[in-house]
Amino acid sequence: MSYTQIVAADYSRAPAYFPMGFWFYLVLAVVILATSLIELVRGKGAVLEPKMEMLEDYHLFLLFLPILALAFVFCYLPLWGWRYAFFDYTAGGTLSMENFVGLRWFTYLFENEATRNDLLRVLKNTLAISGINIITLWLPMVFAILLTQVNSKRFRRVVQTLTTIPNFLGWVIVYAIAVALFSTTGFVNGFLTNILGTPSDVNWLMDSSHMWLKMWLWGTWKGVGWSAIVYISSISGIDPTLYEAATMDGAGRFAKIWNVTIPQLMPTFFVMLLMGIAGILSNGLDQYLVFSNAANGSAIEVLDLYVYNLGIGSGQISMSTVIGMAKSIVSVILLFAANTFSKKVRGESII
């Protein structure tokens, strides 16, 4: 439809064309469809002999193969874009030896005072919010333990469903919920004005105070139920004989939690803790982008949002690439440092 509209409009400066990837995937889809139909016709009614059955290990590998392909496309293939850090690149331009600048952007990152001050401010926001998340990393584990102690399976399922659903809501929808609650005409101001008789028209979303705490609260509300699934699975895998032995020793419910459940969950908790430390510079982008405005921008801008604003907003693609590279390298170093620390302290590693 878009192609037809562009052709009909006859834009001379923007000729219509299909990208090469479109034709590649179109041919690939036709080949897959044809081979599937051939195999369906040839194998109709045939019984697979036992010697032709694939081993379970290969089944698992084939199930993992699409995830591996997606990880390569979205995690490793973008590393090819790091080359922009060594060129004076502008959007729509080309990379050549004429605009090759070597390590100029790396030195500019620390020599320019304005950029250095912005980085310090952004790093302060990033480390503060990540630090709060790491300090409260035990909340999903406690929530999972409390949830598994509920005797009513129906109530437990309802609570788990209600706390897991927010994870599947996009941050745009979460922000829409925040607007409905905390805008000048939102529920909170309406409740204060109409129910409590205290006139209020405060736009809570424009308030820049306690932004770190606010972002942590929204992130916790959205992700605590989803994060608890890992601990619920670990609890279901605990050997029941351990609880039986504790019961024989006269342990009550809280004694079982303290002496059996929590020690059994510690390996999982430490893995999540080490992963959180490794990703301390990665707060994500979506949450802070939708909640950011002119009033709270300086307090909410984390490193990922800063890179986005610098590259997409200001057009400084080379500089944003340098900062993204530095963040990735530091994250890898933190991951290996946390793994080494875990190996020395606990005798176990995650890599």
Side-chain angles (χ1 to χ4, degrees), residues 276-289:
I277 294 174
I280 195 171
L281 296 180
S282 300
N283 300 105
L285 169 68
D286 301 351
Q287 176 184 3
Y288 308 95
L289 179 63

Side-chain angles (χ1 to χ4, degrees), residues 104-122:
R104 189 183 80 179
W105 295 115
F106 292 87
T107 57
Y108 179 84
L109 185 65
F110 299 99
E111 291 177 353
N112 186 273
E113 184 178 358
T115 304
R116 190 166 60 247
N117 292 335
D118 285 340
L119 275 178
L120 291 176
R121 173 181 56 83
V122 169

Side-chain angles (χ1 to χ4, degrees), residues 115-134:
T115 304
R116 190 166 60 247
N117 292 335
D118 285 340
L119 275 178
L120 291 176
R121 173 181 56 83
V122 169
L123 284 175
K124 181 179 70 173
N125 296 335
T126 303
L127 295 176
I129 296 175
S130 296
I132 296 174
N133 289 327
I134 291 176

Side-chain angles (χ1 to χ4, degrees), residues 188-202 204:
V188 174
N189 286 328
F191 180 82
L192 293 175
T193 302
N194 301 322
I195 305 301
L196 300 182
T198 305
S200 175
D201 58 351
V202 178
W204 304 93

Side-chain angles (χ1 to χ4, degrees), residues 1 8 25-26 71 96 137 148 151 157 173 176 179 182 192 210 221 242 246 285 327 329 349:
M1 184 181 298
Y25 287 112
L26 180 62
S96 63
L137 200 61
T148 54
N151 294 325
R157 291 173 182 173
I173 299 178
V179 170
F182 299 106
L192 293 175
H210 307 97
W221 171 79
L242 296 176
L285 169 68
K327 189 198 78 169
I329 294 172
S349 61

